[in-house]
């Protein structure tokens, strides 16, 4: 039993409308606030390494302190 041409075209057009309605869209928006990058952790880490090296050199020079 074949479907009539009008019913086939109606089913096809409704299927196409469903597929078009379900297509994903991508939106790019500018943020309201500027982007900030916090580098405090890295700076503290570098300072600790420098202080640690200075302390090591002080202990080597003055080994009689401890």
């Amino acid at each position: 039993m074949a479907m009539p041409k009008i019913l086939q075209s109606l089913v096809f057009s409704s299927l196409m409308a469903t597929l078009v309605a379900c297509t994903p869209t991508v939106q790019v928006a500018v943020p309201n606030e500027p982007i900030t990058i916090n580098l405090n952790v890295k700076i503290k880490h570098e300072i600790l390494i420098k202080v640690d090296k200075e302390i090591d050199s002080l202990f080597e020079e003055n080994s009689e302190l401890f």
Side-chain angles (χ1 to χ4, degrees):
M1 182 180 218
M3 295 172 82
K5 294 271 184 187
I6 297 173
L7 187 58
Q8 282 181 347
S9 63
L10 183 63
V11 169
F12 179 73
S13 62
S14 64
L15 204 138
M16 290 304 291
T18 304
L19 289 176
V20 169
C22 293
T23 56
T25 58
V26 177
Q27 295 179 351
V28 179
V30 179
N32 294 335
E33 299 177 3
I35 298 172
T36 57
I37 300 172
N38 189 355
L39 298 176
N40 290 337
V41 175
K42 185 175 181 179
I43 294 170
K44 288 180 183 178
H45 180 71
E46 289 176 4
I47 292 171
L48 290 175
I49 289 173
K50 289 178 183 177
V51 170
D52 191 35
K53 287 181 182 178
E54 289 177 6
I55 290 174
D56 285 342
S57 65
L58 280 174
F59 283 145
E60 287 175 4
E61 291 173 2
N62 300 321
S63 59
E64 67 273 353
L65 289 177
F66 290 101

